[in-house]
Amino acid sequence: MELMKREYQKFINKTKKQMNKIKSILSVFLFGGLMVSCNSDADDLGKNLFDGNSVTGNQVSYDLVAYNINNGDAVRADSYALQRATLGAFTEGQFGTQKSAYVTQVRLSKYAPDFGTNPIVDSVVLEIKPQYDATTKAVTTTNVTHEGQVAKQTLTKYEAVKYGNPAATMNIDVHEIATDLGAVGTEKLSNSTVTTSGVPLGTKVFSGNVYAVSINKTSDNTALLTREAGLRIKLDENHFKTKIADKSGATELSNESNFINYFKGLKISVRENDGYLINFAPNEVTMTMYYRSGGKSNTFSFDLGSSNVHFSKISYTRSSTYNAVMANINSTNGDPLLYMQGMGGPGAGIKLNGAGISDLKRLYKERGAAILSAKVRLYTDTNTWNNSYTKPVGFLVRKQGETDFITDLKTMLGNSNYSLVKAYSTNSNPSYYDIDITKTIKDIVEKEAEAKDLIVNIGEYLTSNGNLVSEDYNNNVSSPYRAVFVGTNAANNNRPKLMVTYVTK
């Protein structure tokens, strides 16, 4: 890469006058975010440039065939992929209803616990910590008495980050499950099913806010209680007295294996079909039992962290419009509208083996055209998706039939100027997206690589220690975003395009 850059700079130094002409010609595209210049973020900039006395800059675009891909409304949803879990429900006219629940095993923090004689369970509290908007902070202070101490209680309220209809109120239910979830590491899809037993262990009316709590002694401001911002759900203390506290010395609580068979886990869900989706870190979910025994107050914590199997259970009730689109996918000639949705929803296929590639090959053979930039541009459709819902910001892009990262991502990973996908105008309608596949197009044109279809889904790749892990390690399972895009439609100027910038000798 450094050698190519030096060769390109040598070329630039010899042809400053001509490059100024190119920059003038291409400047019109800077407003649209194409960013083509001497400091462009294009892949392998100037890879095939060579010394010459004249340079011509060209920007061309070609229509693309794009079609829907039905992913079966399922995606890997266990802890391998679940950096963030989602909870809630949302209904809109194009995609229909989407509901997301959270299912997790539970372990004891200590096995063979001794809760004393005739323990009394005062309360059991389950807590999740939804992502919230810190700019919505609102503080309320009141005088209270806490464990016999005169104190001040400070409640700090934040609005949870929501996708959907933010003004809605939802009822959150917590059930014990009767389904064995198996071992950690076993792959679970988002459409996996579990059976719940009995009535809910607890219910919470959720209006979309989370609260941090601090209680300080009035006399000297000593902290008596501190709780981070979270959503706390009170569970049935009688159930836990019978199930846990009264079981001191019982084999069910004697070791991990026995306990997992005895208490298989929890399901957190919402009753409603419309509202919004929130997200939280699954390994930060906690559950604490507060009890008394022998005249003393005690707490016992349960382990709901990474040592447990957990997954997002996602279900759909699709609209008739959506079902009609998915039943009539035309992967040969393309679809006029592209439906794309995270959390296992549909994606899009984009053909690269059309007239555009043939023309670029001709330019390469006849005129020695060197590609500086090649991007697929997609627009959201203003007729079907003209709303204020948060737009997607990233795509997962691979070649059809391949499981490795796309060549562009592998080649340019170390280049801080490179982005596989750039999103524009996401706060307005339409929004549009550029997928930078310069290396892919160069290989097809210059090396006769096979022009495989691009497979595009909503989401972003995840990293471990700053490095990409694999093509299938991404956040699609927790990306609530969706949009309808313009597809192959000759009457719509925002139809998918392959936009290429090249120079010739």
Side-chain angles (χ1 to χ4, degrees):
M1 178 64 74
E2 292 300 321
L3 177 60
M4 289 187 284
K5 288 181 178 179
R6 288 196 296 270
E7 289 298 314
Y8 181 61
Q9 190 59 52
K10 178 181 177 182
F11 174 76
I12 294 300
N13 290 337
K14 288 184 178 182
T15 59
K16 287 183 178 179
K17 182 176 180 180
Q18 290 87 343
M19 282 302 296
N20 285 336
K21 179 180 178 181
I22 294 174
K23 291 167 71 177
S24 176
I25 292 171
L26 298 179
S27 63
V28 66
F29 298 105
L30 295 180
F31 181 76
L34 194 52
M35 299 304 292
V36 179
S37 72
C38 291
N39 294 315
S40 172
D41 60 359
D43 287 356
D44 291 333
L45 190 59
K47 181 177 181 181
N48 287 312
L49 295 180
F50 45 85
D51 290 343
N53 296 320
S54 63
V55 178
T56 302
N58 301 274
Q59 201 276 345
V60 292
S61 65
Y62 305 98
D63 288 344
L64 292 169
V65 171
Y67 55 93
N68 288 287
I69 292 179
N70 189 343
N71 289 318
D73 288 344
V75 64
R76 183 167 183 175
D78 57 85
S79 55
Y80 172 81
L82 205 63
Q83 302 300 303
R84 306 291 296 181
T86 51
L87 176 67
F90 176 46
T91 298
E92 43 76 22
Q94 292 297 323
F95 291 86
T97 299
Q98 178 185 48
K99 297 190 73 170
S100 183
Y102 177 66
V103 179
T104 182
Q105 286 178 329
V106 176
R107 284 169 164 76
L108 298 177
S109 58
K110 177 184 177 182
Y111 289 96
D114 182 2
F115 297 112
T117 304
N118 298 321
I120 307 266
V121 177
D122 293 315
S123 64
V124 180
V125 178
L126 177 74
E127 181 175 10
I128 65 175
K129 296 176 180 176
Q131 181 185 5
Y132 60 85
D133 181 355
T135 66
T136 62
K137 179 178 179 180
V139 179
T140 303
T141 301
T142 56
N143 295 319
V144 298
T145 299
H146 181 77
E147 296 182 350
Q149 303 274 3
V150 178
K152 287 187 179 296
Q153 174 180 276
T154 301
L155 289 180
T156 306
K157 181 178 73 172
Y158 303 94
E159 292 182 15
V161 174
K162 313 177 191 77
Y163 182 88
N165 301 312
T169 295
M170 295 188 296
N171 288 275
I172 299 175
D173 289 334
V174 180
H175 283 88
E176 185 177 350
I177 64 171
T179 302
D180 184 356
L181 297 181
V184 174
T186 302
E187 180 176 319
K188 280 196 172 293
L189 298 180
S190 57
N191 60 358
S192 299
T193 60
V194 294
T195 302
T196 59
S197 53
V199 298
L201 298 179
T203 295
K204 176 80 171 185
V205 178
F206 183 57
S207 59
N209 300 316
V210 296
Y211 294 86
V213 182
S214 64
I215 300 177
N216 293 68
K217 193 191 304 185
T218 301
S219 59
D220 59 7
N221 207 38
T222 301
L224 301 177
L225 176 70
T226 302
R227 296 283 186 270
E228 295 180 359
L231 167 61
R232 288 169 274 275
I233 306 171
K234 186 177 181 298
L235 305 183
D236 182 0
E237 61 270 18
N238 294 323
H239 180 85
F240 280 85
K241 173 176 169 51
T242 302
K243 187 97 177 182
I244 304 296
D246 289 346
K247 288 289 184 177
S248 293
T251 58
E252 291 91 339
L253 276 58
S254 62
N255 58 55
E256 181 176 287
S257 177
N258 286 351
F259 182 74
I260 291 174
N261 287 327
Y262 173 63
F263 194 111
K264 293 182 170 55
L266 298 172
K267 177 184 177 182
I268 309 172
S269 60
V270 301
R271 296 180 194 172
E272 288 74 17
N273 292 322
D274 192 17
Y276 44 79
L277 298 167
I278 60 174
N279 74 87
F280 59 93
N283 291 336
E284 294 180 6
V285 178
T286 63
M287 187 167 70
T288 305
M289 182 175 73
Y290 299 86
Y291 70 98
R292 288 174 287 134
S293 179
K296 295 182 179 180
S297 296
N298 300 282
T299 62
F300 186 84
S301 60
F302 296 83
D303 175 11
L304 280 73
S306 59
S307 58
N308 295 279
V309 174
H310 42 232
F311 72 98
S312 279
K313 173 168 175 45
I314 304 167
S315 58
Y316 293 91
T317 303
R318 292 301 191 180
S319 70
S320 57
T321 298
Y322 176 90
N323 287 332
V325 169
M326 291 299 132
N328 293 282
I329 294 173
N330 188 335
S331 59
T332 301
N333 299 315
D335 295 323
L337 292 174
L338 305 175
Y339 280 67
M340 296 180 64
Q341 180 181 29
M343 298 174 69
I350 300 172
K351 291 186 175 297
L352 298 180
N353 61 347
I357 294 298
S358 298
D359 189 54
L360 290 171
K361 287 182 176 181
R362 178 188 62 79
L363 290 169
Y364 176 67
K365 292 176 181 178
E366 295 178 2
R367 301 177 60 191
I371 295 171
L372 298 182
S373 172
K375 302 181 182 183
V376 171
R377 177 165 290 183
L378 299 175
Y379 280 87
T380 57
D381 181 61
T382 54
N383 291 323
T384 57
W385 202 253
N386 191 356
N387 54 56
S388 60
Y389 300 134
T390 304
K391 299 292 198 309
V393 294
F395 293 138
L396 307 166
V397 183
R398 63 177 176 83
K399 294 179 182 178
Q400 188 176 52
E402 296 190 5
T403 58
D404 196 5
F405 292 116
I406 193 170
T407 306
D408 303 81
L409 198 54
K410 291 191 294 183
T411 303
M412 299 300 291
L413 188 58
N415 188 332
S416 60
N417 292 323
Y418 176 77
S419 295
L420 177 62
V421 179
K422 289 184 178 178
Y424 300 95
S425 304
T426 54
N427 291 323
S428 60
N429 295 301
S431 302
Y432 67 97
Y433 301 79
D434 284 345
I435 305 173
D436 191 334
I437 55 168
T438 307
K439 184 68 166 65
T440 291
I441 297 301
K442 287 175 72 67
D443 287 349
I444 293 171
V445 171
E446 299 168 5
K447 298 182 179 180
E448 294 296 332
E450 183 181 356
K452 295 182 178 181
D453 293 3
L454 292 183
I455 307 301
V456 182
N457 285 290
I458 286 176
E460 296 175 275
Y461 294 105
L462 300 175
T463 60
S464 177
N465 298 320
N467 298 311
L468 291 171
V469 178
S470 70
E471 164 63 35
D472 63 356
Y473 189 61
N474 57 69
N475 70 353
N476 177 276
V477 66
S478 59
S479 294
Y481 313 112
R482 78 287 303 273
V484 180
F485 293 80
V486 180
T488 302
N489 180 355
N492 194 321
N493 290 333
N494 289 340
R495 59 190 177 274
K497 300 279 189 180
L498 175 63
M499 305 177 67
V500 178
T501 302
Y502 67 92
V503 292
T504 56
K505 182 176 178 180

